[in-house]
């Protein structure tokens, strides 16, 4: 399957127009993380390198076709001294399949604090997902074969009071990545869509559902590397009416809070044919 370099690759067609080609995939629709990651790469290409991504807010509008290229149209919404903003629309066959706003910041001085990383089993003692995944889900490990993904067993989770549906996942890219910090940010944007919606199904393991990401917001808080272990601490505070709200905090192994994610997804009962 595609490497992360291939999954995020785009070509520049015009000053603010980019195109991402088809990549090898087993999916019937384009992985949402790939669309978001390529949209972010497109935005990055239009911003002065002194700025760093600090947030993105995206909406998945239509399923993408993984066998067709996607064009990314970038709008330069704001050019400021400390902040700049880009809006990106992903288009296939003349229709928008994704839209995203991304904000960039040069960085300033200010107070600092962060939550404490939750107590969690270290990744070294957990089996690779290819060992724990059910046979009918092993295709997912072939799709993301370049990622080491290790889910903390539910019985080993430290349950938070009042949290109804929790999940913790360690992950890292298996191969060394370039030292470019922005590439790691775009890589994490790609991977942040993976497993998060699953946190809403932890307490509904036997209920069949149709699932899809609807919207996705992300904040990048501290430097990190995507080829080193990151903990995705996930929860779903609410589900209903065919939708689920999910959120996650992403920590490096040293206990630094590096990113936060909120997503709403579709988890509806399959419709009768």
């Amino acid at each position: 399957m595609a490497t992360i370099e291939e999954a995020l690759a785009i070509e520049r067609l015009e000053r603010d127009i980019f195109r991402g080609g088809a990549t090898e995939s087993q999916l019937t629709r384009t992985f949402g993380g790939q669309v978001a990651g390529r949209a972010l790469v497109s935005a990055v290409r239009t911003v002065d390198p002194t700025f760093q991504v600090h947030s993105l807010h995206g909406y998945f509008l239509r399923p993408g076709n993984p066998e067709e290229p996607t064009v990314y149209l970038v709008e330069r919404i704001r050019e400021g001294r400390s902040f700049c903003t880009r809006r990106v629309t992903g288009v296939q066959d003349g229709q928008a399949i994704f839209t995203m706003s991304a904000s960039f910041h040069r960085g300033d001085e200010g107070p600092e604090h962060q939550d404490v990383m939750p107590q969690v089993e270290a990744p070294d003692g957990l089996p690779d997902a290819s060992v724990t995944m059910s046979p009918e889900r092993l295709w997912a490990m072939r799709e993301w074969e370049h990622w080491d993904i290790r889910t903390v067993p539910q019985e080993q989770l430290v349950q938070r009071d009042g949290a109804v549906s929790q999940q913790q996942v360690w992950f890292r890219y298996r191969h060394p990545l370039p030292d470019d910090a922005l590439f790691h940010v775009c890589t994490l944007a790609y991977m942040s869509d993976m497993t998060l919606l699953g946190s809403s199904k932890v307490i509904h393991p036997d209920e069949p559902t149709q699932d899809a990401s609807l919207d996705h917001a992300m904040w990048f808080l501290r430097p990190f590397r995507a080829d080193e272990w990151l903990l995705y601490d996930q929860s779903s505070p609410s589900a209903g009416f065919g939708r689920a709200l999910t959120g996650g905090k992403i920590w490096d192994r040293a206990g630094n809070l590096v990113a936060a994610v909120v997503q709403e997804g579709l988890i509806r009962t399959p419709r009768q044919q």
Side-chain angles (χ1 to χ4, degrees), residues 108-114 222:
D108 290 301
E109 297 290 331
E112 293 188 22
H113 67 263
Q114 68 162 53
R222 291 173 179 82

Side-chain angles (χ1 to χ4, degrees), residues 69-127:
T70 303
V71 173
Y72 296 91
L73 311 175
V74 181
E75 299 175 70
R76 300 178 185 237
I77 303 300
R78 179 189 183 193
E79 300 283 4
R81 289 189 299 177
S82 296
F83 290 89
C84 66
T85 307
R86 297 291 185 264
R87 182 182 296 130
V88 186
T89 303
V91 177
Q92 276 191 346
D93 295 325
Q95 291 187 312
I97 65 169
F98 180 74
T99 183
M100 181 186 75
S101 293
S103 184
F104 297 76
H105 185 209
R106 275 203 168 104
D108 290 301
E109 297 290 331
E112 293 188 22
H113 67 263
Q114 68 162 53
D115 284 350
V116 176
M117 183 177 178
Q119 295 181 348
V120 62
E121 180 78 17
D124 313 78
L126 298 173

Side-chain angles (χ1 to χ4, degrees), residues 200-221:
S200 67
K201 301 179 68 173
V202 169
I203 59 172
H204 311 286
D206 300 319
E207 294 190 34
T209 56
Q210 293 177 324
D211 308 333
S213 303
L214 296 175
D215 59 21
H216 196 83
M218 193 167 188
W219 295 264
F220 302 94
L221 307 174

